[in-house]
Amino acid sequence: MDYVTITDHDTIAGALEIAHLPQVFISEEISAYFPDDRCEVHVLAWNITEKQHEDIQRLRNNIYDLVPYLIQHDIPHACAHPLCPANDKLTINHVEKLILLFSVFELNGARNDVQNEALRSIVAELTPTMTAQFEEKHNVASLVAQPWNKYFMAGSDDHSSCNIARSFTRITPANDLEQDNTLPAAEDLLRDVMQGNTTVNAVPATPLCFAHNLYAIGYQFYKNSTELAQDIHYSSALRFAENMLTGAPELKPMSVKTRMMTLAGVLLRFGRGRRTTEKSMQANLLEAAEQVIALSPQLQNAAAEINTIQALANLPQREEMLTHFVSDVTEKVQHICVDAVLEDILKGNFFNVFKLIGSIGSLYALLAPYGIGYSLFSKDKKFAETCLRHYGIRNHMRPSMAEETAIAYFTDTYCEVNGVAKSLQVTLSLAAMHGKKLNMLTCMPQGTNTFLNDPKLAPINFAPTGSFTMPEYPELSLHHPPALKIIQHCYTQGYTLLHSVTPGPMGLIALLAAKMLNLPIHATYHTSFPQYVYRLTDDHSLEEAAWRYIFWYYNQMDAVFAPSEATRQDLIARGLQPQKIHVYPRGIDASIFTPSWQRSDGSKERQIKFLYVGRLSKEKSLHLLMEAFRRVYSQVPDAVLTLVGDGPQFTELQKLAKGLPIKFTGYLDGQALIQAYENADIFVFPSATDTYSRVVLEAQAAGLATIVSGVGGPKENIIPNESGIVVEQENAEAYAQAMLSLARHPERLQAMKRAARSWAESRPLKSAFMAQWQMFEKLKSQSQVA
């Protein structure tokens, strides 16, 4: 470097340590404040004296005193990252005042480049008329001669020595250099900066860059305050860290004796050879890091025992490499921790469970640099977009900064056989049909996706780091999502709204992503999970624990969508704010069903055909249906019952059906399911735990009279005593009486079947989707304003 200076925050101590060297001048970055609201802004001041530093520290609490002082003493200065909220108080009014106070703005190399682009766009639009309006609006006189003319300089804002000259300013001296190439004086070069004789160069920063800096700072501090340096030559993971996280790695070859001594020290310190569950988190991380490096030639090269600063000179590539490394390591250790928790639960070692859960928490804390990076960059982007919208600047906006709604659904269920998964598949198809930007994010093992032949139904899948199968639901598994990869995807895709479909692992990642990316988040309450827990366990304490989790989770949302008013009231009764909960429209495509009276087969069977479609499990109250049908059959010998579906009660229900005309079809889909509906007369759905039940609407679309429970959401999907019957008493006799009332009165049955079809036709699927999308957009706008 021709000249060296240090611009530290509100101190010149570092600069003074090298001030005796030639071609060094003293500078600082000043934390200044607007006096009325304490909004913090940063000001770069170069080539100052110790006395001027003391004056600056005295004046910096009032920016209207500080800037005149800098001008009066001819101190070169610039407003650093003017669109970056230093203490979250920055507004457009402050930006306009900064335009009146400064002639030079910094383009910052460590924060979101969207800020720099927005700043350039705003400056390009400035006119004498605009700046005069600013003066009148804020009652602030401009301190620069032509406030509509701005100059730029760039700086890396590097705090780790890993990004030196990532951004830099090239100065073109106003006066040509002398023939002997004498170096211009520092004050002359800085005067050129103030006069705009500069060009700026930068490699745009990303959240990955920001996280890289934080990891580097942490690593350098830890290395300098511990004995870590002696282990670097033994461990490829530590050599990798040395090369990636220091500005100038120094790795010298070691003797065999030293290498053996180092090996012994590392084995002793990190606990190699112990059982995985007994190792420290540090040991697990180190071991996982070694494994990840061993599987990647690229990482092996980055961990080579040579000075690789040139090999890692491509900054974006280096940051992506580090991100993949951190992600892979945390995924491996997460899997180890989860397996250890499950192992201890099975052994009854519950105290170890709490210890390991704490370890998992510390594991995710290691991802904090990315969380901070994504959060800050998202805030930067949001404020930049606000400024551009305020000034009506749209032509300069990136596509990712467009205002069009782009939604990401997060779901733990998509390819499984259940109503939620089917509804999601339909939603994704309708979004594609209407040209809406909607992606379905899932976490499933490879090979689970069954929709590869239909692009409209294919989700964006993230391979899980591990899985856990629930005993009561062997076909349903909870998969552990790769958090960092999903958050990075959301950031790069530019979603404007996140929507959680399930409160499981993917739902938690949705909440984490929303917090990190400063995005609004909505959620749908599809399943009465606490009621399911009680029906499956008969344990009220577990049900209450489930409700506490449900309240905590949905209380984090900006909006909650309930599929029925009954569900909405349940959530309100549990403490959720009524204004936050919305009943959203649902629909059905009735055209795919052909009711019996529309078919031309001429068949007139004497049988009365009852039908159930859904999961065969305890929470569906199918024991009531079986007993009710037994009573009906004793009085209506031509009655038959078909159960479509599968589940853990399949074998038990078959035993209960012995001696009765009950058919079990197993799971049906597509045309086979449609035919099952069309061949029936009466649909019976006794579940008291469903929040909506799509099958009730499907049955009515097929022209079936419907009998449902008086508890839960399905009763809102019929017109009581017109398209169906609501059974208020949860007992077999009540269901038997409802079934008999239709079986014994053909005229009433036929009238109800036709009413059911009309009711379904009045709720077209496409209209329901568009109404729901409009609700999303309206509520998103409200949450952004709030």
Side-chain angles (χ1 to χ4, degrees):
M1 298 183 185
D2 295 318
Y3 285 99
V4 174
T5 190
I6 297 176
T7 52
D8 208 350
H9 277 279
D10 303 314
T11 179
I12 59 172
L16 289 176
E17 289 190 21
I18 59 173
H20 63 284
L21 299 174
Q23 296 168 212
V24 170
F25 56 90
I26 300 172
S27 306
E28 71 176 305
E29 184 170 357
I30 308 161
S31 301
Y33 297 88
F34 283 94
D36 50 345
D37 57 8
R38 298 294 292 171
C39 173
E40 181 180 349
V41 294
H42 294 169
V43 180
L44 299 168
W46 303 294
N47 202 19
I48 61 175
T49 66
E50 293 183 64
K51 174 61 170 60
Q52 287 172 336
H53 163 68
E54 294 174 359
D55 293 339
I56 287 170
Q57 289 302 301
R58 177 172 47 83
L59 298 171
R60 68 184 180 90
N61 282 313
N62 188 334
I63 195 169
Y64 299 119
D65 294 334
L66 172 67
V67 177
Y69 174 87
L70 299 176
I71 295 174
Q72 179 183 357
H73 289 78
D74 199 24
I75 297 175
H77 61 279
C79 181
H81 43 76
L83 298 188
C84 176
N87 61 351
D88 291 328
K89 293 185 178 182
L90 188 69
T91 66
I92 292 173
N93 287 336
H94 295 113
V95 173
E96 293 176 350
K97 294 173 185 177
L98 293 175
I99 289 172
L100 299 175
L101 294 175
F102 294 92
S103 60
V104 180
F105 284 155
E106 179 211 34
L107 300 176
N108 191 271
R111 298 294 284 268
N112 199 329
D113 196 50
V114 171
Q115 278 190 344
N116 296 332
E117 292 186 8
L119 181 62
R120 288 179 181 273
S121 298
I122 293 170
V123 166
E125 295 292 323
L126 291 177
T127 64
T129 301
M130 285 180 64
T131 54
Q133 291 172 345
F134 294 165
E135 290 181 304
E136 182 178 358
K137 174 182 177 181
H138 303 295
N139 193 29
V140 174
S142 174
L143 297 183
V144 294
Q146 296 181 330
W148 56 90
N149 282 334
K150 300 298 175 193
Y151 308 125
F152 295 109
M153 53 79 57
S156 297
D157 203 1
D158 179 36
H159 291 255
S160 66
S161 76
C162 292
N163 286 278
I164 293 174
R166 183 189 191 101
S167 295
F168 61 90
T169 306
R170 188 181 301 277
I171 303 172
T172 304
N175 300 318
D176 293 335
L177 296 178
E178 298 179 8
Q179 292 184 354
D180 59 359
N181 291 324
T182 302
L183 185 67
E187 52 267 26
D188 294 333
L189 293 176
L190 293 172
R191 188 178 301 111
D192 286 320
V193 172
M194 297 302 294
Q195 294 173 355
N197 299 323
T198 58
T199 55
V200 296
N201 299 265
V203 176
T206 67
L208 308 188
C209 165
F210 196 90
H212 179 225
N213 278 325
L214 291 184
Y215 280 120
I217 294 169
Y219 172 79
Q220 292 170 28
F221 173 80
Y222 185 66
K223 173 189 171 184
N224 293 333
S225 58
T226 68
E227 298 178 356
L228 184 68
Q230 70 177 341
D231 301 328
I232 289 174
H233 296 275
Y234 165 73
S235 167
S236 62
L238 295 180
R239 290 199 304 272
F240 175 80
E242 180 72 11
N243 287 334
M244 295 289 288
L245 303 178
T246 62
E250 295 180 2
L251 299 173
K252 300 176 181 178
M254 299 179 68
S255 66
V256 175
K257 178 180 178 181
T258 304
R259 190 178 297 274
M260 293 302 297
M261 292 175 62
T262 300
L263 170 60
V266 172
L267 290 175
L268 179 63
R269 186 181 314 164
F270 292 130
R272 286 184 179 273
R274 290 187 293 172
R275 189 169 66 94
T276 299
T277 54
E278 296 175 351
K279 293 177 183 176
S280 67
M281 177 59 68
Q282 187 180 32
N284 280 327
L285 284 170
L286 185 63
E287 184 173 312
E290 300 281 355
Q291 293 172 0
V292 168
I293 292 173
L295 294 173
S296 169
Q298 184 185 34
L299 295 181
Q300 291 175 26
N301 181 60
E305 197 166 338
I306 57 173
N307 189 320
T308 59
I309 192 66
Q310 295 301 322
L312 299 173
N314 186 319
L315 298 177
Q317 182 181 10
R318 181 173 64 178
E319 290 147 10
E320 290 179 6
M321 187 190 307
L322 179 65
T323 300
H324 287 301
F325 171 78
V326 172
S327 179
D328 289 346
V329 170
T330 52
E331 287 173 17
K332 278 184 175 293
V333 179
Q334 173 185 289
H335 186 59
I336 292 172
C337 290
V338 171
D339 283 353
V341 169
L342 296 178
E343 180 183 337
D344 277 322
I345 288 176
L346 293 176
K347 292 180 177 179
N349 299 329
F350 292 104
F351 288 104
N352 282 350
V353 170
F354 294 113
K355 177 181 177 181
L356 287 165
I357 288 175
S359 296
I360 294 174
S362 64
L363 172 66
Y364 279 110
L366 292 175
L367 297 177
Y370 288 101
I372 297 170
Y374 282 117
S375 179
L376 288 176
F377 273 59
S378 297
K379 285 182 180 180
D380 293 349
K381 177 176 178 286
K382 186 175 182 180
F383 184 67
E385 290 173 343
T386 299
C387 292
L388 291 174
R389 283 195 298 269
H390 177 78
Y391 295 113
I393 302 174
R394 300 183 185 276
N395 293 335
H396 300 84
M397 295 173 68
R398 293 179 173 181
S400 61
M401 296 171 66
E403 297 181 19
E404 185 177 359
T405 299
I407 303 178
Y409 272 46
F410 288 71
T411 177
D412 294 286
T413 178
Y414 189 76
C415 293
E416 293 81 1
V417 180
N418 58 59
V420 174
K422 190 170 183 179
S423 295
L424 293 176
Q425 296 158 21
V426 171
T427 297
L428 191 58
S429 178
L430 288 169
M433 183 185 304
H434 288 86
K436 300 299 182 182
K437 294 184 177 181
L438 186 150
N439 285 333
M440 203 70 61
L441 308 188
T442 63
C443 181
M444 304 177 293
Q446 298 298 327
T448 307
N449 189 349
T450 60
F451 304 106
L452 295 179
N453 294 328
D454 189 348
K456 295 191 300 296
L457 296 181
I460 297 174
N461 184 53
F462 296 88
T465 62
S467 299
F468 171 64
T469 300
M470 301 174 65
E472 289 286 345
Y473 285 72
E475 75 278 19
L476 293 180
S477 296
L478 293 177
H479 306 298
H480 313 303
L484 186 55
K485 292 176 182 176
I486 296 176
I487 293 168
Q488 187 176 2
H489 165 83
C490 292
Y491 179 82
T492 56
Q493 289 296 311
Y495 296 123
T496 61
L497 171 67
L498 305 184
H499 187 95
S500 171
V501 179
T502 51
M506 281 298 287
L508 291 171
I509 294 298
L511 182 58
L512 179 64
K515 298 295 185 184
M516 284 188 177
L517 303 178
N518 297 288
L519 290 174
I521 180 170
H522 299 168
T524 304
Y525 185 71
H526 277 291
T527 305
S528 296
F529 180 66
Q531 290 94 321
Y532 276 26
V533 169
Y534 176 69
R535 293 292 179 117
L536 294 172
T537 65
D538 292 323
D539 190 326
H540 281 294
S541 63
L542 289 178
E543 179 188 19
E544 187 59 33
W547 269 120
R548 285 198 293 270
Y549 171 74
I550 290 296
F551 172 78
W552 171 83
Y553 182 78
Y554 286 96
N555 198 44
Q556 310 297 312
M557 302 297 141
D558 297 304
V560 177
F561 292 93
S564 62
E565 182 60 31
T567 303
R568 180 175 182 271
Q569 292 302 324
D570 278 348
L571 294 174
I572 292 173
R574 287 290 170 171
L576 286 180
Q577 302 172 8
Q579 66 272 19
K580 180 181 286 191
I581 312 170
H582 309 270
V583 178
Y584 63 100
R586 304 287 289 270
I588 187 72
D589 182 5
S591 66
I592 66 174
F593 299 95
T594 304
S596 58
W597 63 85
Q598 293 181 4
R599 298 196 296 271
S600 57
D601 53 18
S603 61
K604 293 184 178 180
E605 298 184 25
R606 295 181 58 188
Q607 287 182 322
I608 297 296
K609 299 178 179 179
F610 294 95
L611 175 69
Y612 166 85
V613 177
R615 181 173 173 75
L616 305 185
S617 56
K618 186 177 180 180
E619 74 276 6
K620 299 297 184 181
S621 301
L622 292 176
H623 65 288
L624 297 180
L625 174 58
M626 302 297 285
E627 178 58 30
F629 180 74
R630 183 181 297 277
R631 300 183 186 193
V632 169
Y633 179 64
S634 67
Q635 302 181 50
V636 184
D638 58 352
V640 296
L641 171 63
T642 299
L643 279 76
V644 175
D646 203 346
Q649 267 198 315
F650 190 95
T651 302
E652 178 185 343
L653 293 173
Q654 281 186 317
K655 293 178 181 179
L656 292 175
K658 189 174 183 179
L660 296 173
I662 299 178
K663 178 182 180 182
F664 293 83
T665 70
Y667 170 70
L668 297 180
D669 195 11
Q671 192 59 41
L673 177 59
I674 292 174
Q675 188 173 354
Y677 279 120
E678 294 175 350
N679 288 340
D681 298 300
I682 302 168
F683 186 77
V684 188
F685 195 74
S687 173
T689 59
D690 276 63
T691 60
Y692 173 73
S693 186
R694 177 184 178 84
V695 293
V696 171
L697 204 53
E698 290 177 342
Q700 292 178 97
L704 305 187
T706 304
I707 299 172
V708 299
S709 169
V711 180
K715 65 183 179 182
E716 297 175 30
N717 274 338
I718 70 170
I719 305 175
N721 299 319
E722 185 174 331
S723 71
I725 298 175
V726 176
V727 178
E728 299 296 345
Q729 293 80 31
E730 292 296 302
N731 57 63
E733 178 59 27
Y735 279 99
Q737 290 302 318
M739 295 163 72
L740 286 169
S741 70
L742 295 178
R744 287 173 170 172
H745 299 90
E747 298 83 3
R748 185 188 185 201
L749 174 58
Q750 290 302 316
M752 193 167 282
K753 292 172 73 172
R754 291 180 180 274
R757 171 70 176 190
S758 297
W759 166 244
E761 289 178 327
S762 70
R763 305 177 72 177
L765 187 61
K766 294 180 181 179
S767 299
F769 171 80
M770 289 306 299
Q772 184 176 335
W773 190 271
Q774 290 167 4
M775 287 182 67
F776 285 167
E777 290 184 322
K778 179 180 178 181
L779 292 169
K780 176 178 73 75
S781 299
Q782 291 175 354
S783 62
Q784 287 176 332
V785 171

